[in-house]
Amino acid sequence: MAAYKLVLIRHGESCWNQENRFCGWFDADLSDTGEHEAKRGGQALKDAGYEFDICYTSVLKRAIRTLWFVLDSIDQMWLPVHRTWRLNERHYGGLTGLNKAETAAIHGEAQVKIWRRSFDIPPPSMDEGHDFYQTISKDRRYSDLTEDQLPSCESLKDTIARALPFWNEEIVPQIKEGKRVLIAAHGNSLRGIVKHLEGMSEEAIMELNLPTGIPIVYELDKNLKPLGPMQFLGDEETVKKAMEAVAAQGKAKK
Amino acid sequence: MSKYKLFLLRHGEGAWNKENRFCSWVDQKLSEDGLKEAQDCGRLLKEQGYKFDLVFTSILSRSIQTAWLVLEAMGQEWVPVIKSWRLNERHYGSLIGLNRAEMAKEHGEEQVKVWRRSYDVTPPQIEESHPYFLEIYNDRRYTTCDMPKENLPRAESLKEVLDRLLPYWDSTVVPEIKQGRTVLISAHGNSCRALLKHLEGISDKDIASVTLPTGIPVLLELDENLKPVKPRQLLGDQVKIQAAIKKVEDQGKAIPST
């Protein structure tokens, strides 16, 4: 018997996804497709009659706007929303802004493969000379972060390490108070939560690509252990496609 | 010497504004025009280079939508938004949902003016038989307030709006301003007026003639005691502002019968 239900939603396509550029902490907006994905996700939650008590998101607009579309769809715009840098996407450091071809050209295919397959090797850091250093590292929204907290790059391990304290200290107590939680965030910050909930290995979480714009539902016991695999919400077609895509990931050659 | 900047914003047109009906605690969303008003406001604030640290809204969707659109236009979606019923529009009691022009025809422009613009005359309370009673009081958001649902208002004068707004202002908003945070309050005609009355020391009599246009940001520059150091500034194009003021004032007048 489920003690709690948790809903996660990964934002959809951003303008930089369209251009195949490493986005990370760059505050790219949703593309038209991404907006559509968010509305569709909201509609799925509305059709299923979901009610929430509290929402969490990052400080990046693509996640926040996704949440706003959802709250509008389910008519719960009045819910409290907490924004935190700890739910931000992984920081891609010096790769931020590069497209996949440029990255391979600059660093070589072999190095790119290492970064993609590694849990704990970070990309090169974003230094002061980087095109996006000012707009990201010096952004007002990060002014409260200490020097230790503000990343210049992150491995997946780093991302998870700064996301989980927020999960444990802020989100878990709310769930245990019976608050129904909605988290709208990014592929890698959500991977941190999923890895933790399901006790997944480093290899397994690196294989998992969460579907975008589709509400992901976990039923949890009183110790916050999932009672079963994650469920997707949506029309039959959308859900089926998402499940197949996830199942196929583990088998894909890299 | 101005120490703090505070911004007030009355949301733009909702569907019922067009029909000239008292919307109050009924949770209407913005009309297409209302959405545009919010976006224009955001663009203006962005052009003028303002940076918010914190936004307060009511728990009515139209004030929240307005805040979101403003933040979006400014690229400041990350700014925290805090919501409270204490910034809700004035509760118009049994007048909720009634058309202003018809009311003015039935009761006379003067009576409607008294209900709308007097300081301490409370309209008749909303009763369970009212068509919008359940829509309001069965709404889950009113179980999340800092006051039990049964103690929430059933009708309010402007004075009563200030009575429930002021404790929130003092305990929650003021400390943020005093920490140097640039605050935007995205709210409603009467919750904004009540706050203005308090901040500017407007008399019970004079507040009646204070009209806030919709979608126009109001800048208050305050000293260290939160007293205004100069008159409030309505930001933006003056012609547009005057037209917006007139639009609100015209809503109180009855449509002449043909």
Side-chain angles (χ1 to χ4, degrees):
Chain A
M1 184 58 220
Y4 312 115
K5 251 187 191 172
L6 168 68
V7 179
L8 313 175
I9 186 162
R10 178 184 178 186
H11 70 77
E13 190 189 77
S14 75
C15 300
W16 273 24
N17 284 149
Q18 269 181 342
E19 300 173 32
N20 234 331
R21 299 168 80 176
F22 282 106
C23 197
W25 281 36
F26 177 76
D27 203 11
D29 207 346
L30 294 171
S31 64
D32 285 343
T33 302
E35 290 189 1
H36 177 78
E37 289 181 78
K39 287 177 191 170
R40 195 189 54 188
Q43 187 63 44
L45 285 167
K46 179 177 177 175
D47 291 340
Y50 272 75
E51 288 182 346
F52 299 103
D53 300 300
I54 191 164
C55 309
Y56 295 95
T57 185
S58 72
V59 294
L60 297 168
K61 68 177 73 173
R62 56 199 190 267
I64 298 167
R65 291 192 66 225
T66 294
L67 178 62
W68 287 355
F69 278 118
V70 168
L71 292 179
D72 192 349
S73 295
I74 59 176
D75 228 344
Q76 292 168 54
M77 294 166 76
W78 52 271
L79 290 175
V81 173
H82 294 274
R83 298 154 172 78
T84 173
W85 67 274
R86 290 180 179 276
L87 287 175
N88 270 16
E89 180 50 293
R90 174 180 168 191
H91 193 306
Y92 283 105
L95 303 185
T96 307
L98 298 180
N99 68 28
K100 306 290 154 68
E102 287 167 335
T103 310
I106 294 170
H107 297 282
E109 298 260 13
Q111 178 61 258
V112 174
K113 249 187 196 158
I114 292 173
W115 283 326
R116 284 180 65 195
R117 292 184 190 185
S118 163
F119 183 70
D120 59 4
I121 299 176
S125 60
M126 175 183 283
D127 56 38
E128 281 182 32
H130 193 283
D131 281 347
F132 293 103
Y133 179 79
Q134 283 299 322
T135 48
I136 295 176
S137 299
K138 294 294 180 196
D139 192 291
R140 189 167 64 94
R141 80 195 73 184
Y142 303 120
S143 58
D144 284 344
L145 271 63
T146 65
E147 251 185 72
D148 285 334
Q149 289 173 330
L150 182 67
S152 60
C153 62
E154 289 180 320
S155 62
L156 180 54
K157 181 179 183 188
D158 295 327
T159 304
I160 295 175
R162 48 88 166 160
L164 280 185
F166 187 82
W167 164 261
N168 284 318
E169 290 162 32
E170 301 292 330
I171 302 180
V172 164
Q174 292 295 314
I175 296 177
K176 288 192 163 169
E177 271 182 38
K179 301 270 166 64
R180 295 160 297 184
V181 169
L182 170 62
I183 305 177
H186 307 261
N188 288 299
S189 47
L190 290 175
R191 268 170 159 181
I193 294 171
V194 168
K195 179 181 189 294
H196 179 75
L197 281 176
E198 299 203 18
M200 291 168 77
S201 68
E202 295 174 5
E203 289 72 31
I205 196 59
M206 285 198 301
E207 310 262 323
L208 177 64
N209 283 314
L210 296 170
T212 59
I214 296 177
I216 298 165
V217 182
Y218 274 111
E219 297 197 351
L220 308 170
D221 69 17
K222 63 180 184 356
N223 298 312
L224 268 50
K225 292 270 167 294
L227 292 169
M230 63 178 79
Q231 306 283 312
F232 301 133
L233 284 184
D235 62 79
E236 214 178 300
E237 171 81 30
T238 305
V239 169
K240 186 161 167 284
K241 265 197 191 159
M243 287 173 68
E244 285 170 358
V246 170
Q249 284 160 20
K251 302 182 182 124
K253 288 211 165 80
K254 292 215 258 287
Chain B
M1 186 58 220
S2 152
K3 192 159 185 203
Y4 307 118
K5 283 188 164 67
L6 169 68
F7 293 80
L8 305 184
L9 177 60
R10 176 183 181 182
H11 67 77
E13 192 188 79
W16 278 11
N17 287 138
K18 274 206 283 228
E19 299 172 33
N20 237 329
R21 300 164 75 181
F22 285 115
C23 189
S24 188
W25 281 34
V26 173
D27 195 32
Q28 291 264 302
K29 289 192 180 166
L30 296 172
S31 67
E32 283 299 314
D33 284 350
L35 294 175
K36 192 170 173 305
E37 285 181 74
Q39 286 163 339
D40 288 348
C41 176
R43 250 172 262 137
L44 172 73
L45 290 168
K46 180 184 175 165
E47 276 165 30
Q48 303 207 350
Y50 291 111
K51 296 176 161 58
F52 294 124
D53 297 303
L54 195 44
V55 178
F56 291 94
T57 74
S58 72
I59 56 174
L60 295 165
S61 297
R62 56 201 190 267
S63 78
I64 301 166
Q65 261 187 313
T66 296
W68 288 357
L69 288 167
V70 166
L71 290 176
E72 225 172 82
M74 299 174 80
Q76 295 177 33
E77 296 91 338
W78 57 270
V79 170
V81 177
I82 301 178
K83 304 155 177 132
S84 171
W85 76 275
R86 289 178 183 275
L87 288 172
N88 268 20
E89 178 52 296
R90 174 183 169 190
H91 194 307
Y92 267 103
S94 69
L95 306 185
I96 289 175
L98 299 185
N99 176 289
R100 286 186 183 98
E102 286 170 341
M103 283 200 68
K105 260 182 94 179
E106 201 173 303
H107 299 276
E109 278 197 44
E110 281 311 304
Q111 178 62 72
V112 177
K113 222 185 199 171
V114 165
W115 281 328
R116 285 188 74 204
R117 293 285 178 248
S118 79
Y119 185 55
D120 57 3
V121 175
T122 310
Q125 290 207 343
I126 191 172
E127 303 288 351
E128 285 182 30
S129 55
H130 191 284
Y132 290 98
F133 184 90
L134 289 179
E135 189 175 317
I136 297 171
Y137 293 98
N138 276 357
D139 194 297
R140 189 165 63 95
R141 79 194 73 192
Y142 293 113
T143 64
T144 68
C145 301
D146 61 7
M147 184 179 264
K149 193 168 78 165
E150 52 271 18
N151 295 348
L152 290 172
R154 295 290 163 96
E156 290 177 314
S157 61
L158 186 61
K159 177 175 187 304
E160 286 162 321
V161 172
L162 188 56
D163 286 345
R164 45 94 161 163
L165 197 162
L166 205 50
Y168 185 73
W169 166 258
D170 285 333
S171 67
T172 308
V173 184
V174 166
E176 299 291 345
I177 297 177
K178 285 193 162 170
Q179 284 187 58
R181 306 229 162 91
T182 305
V183 166
L184 166 66
I185 298 184
S186 168
H188 308 264
N190 288 297
S191 42
C192 288
R193 282 172 77 226
L195 190 52
L196 271 181
K197 181 181 193 295
H198 171 71
L199 288 173
E200 297 183 351
I202 303 172
S203 71
D204 296 1
K205 183 170 167 292
D206 290 341
I207 190 63
S209 52
V210 172
T211 310
L212 277 188
T214 64
I216 307 282
V218 180
L219 168 57
L220 289 167
E221 298 197 43
L222 310 170
D223 67 18
E224 72 271 11
N225 297 313
L226 268 49
K227 296 267 167 297
V229 301
K230 52 163 86 151
R232 75 184 90 107
Q233 299 164 65
L234 271 56
L235 303 177
D237 170 62
Q238 287 306 311
V239 171
K240 185 175 168 193
I241 291 168
Q242 286 311 311
I245 290 176
K246 185 168 186 304
K247 187 168 144 199
V248 170
E249 282 172 346
D250 283 348
Q251 279 177 347
K253 301 200 179 96
I255 298 164
S257 51
T258 48

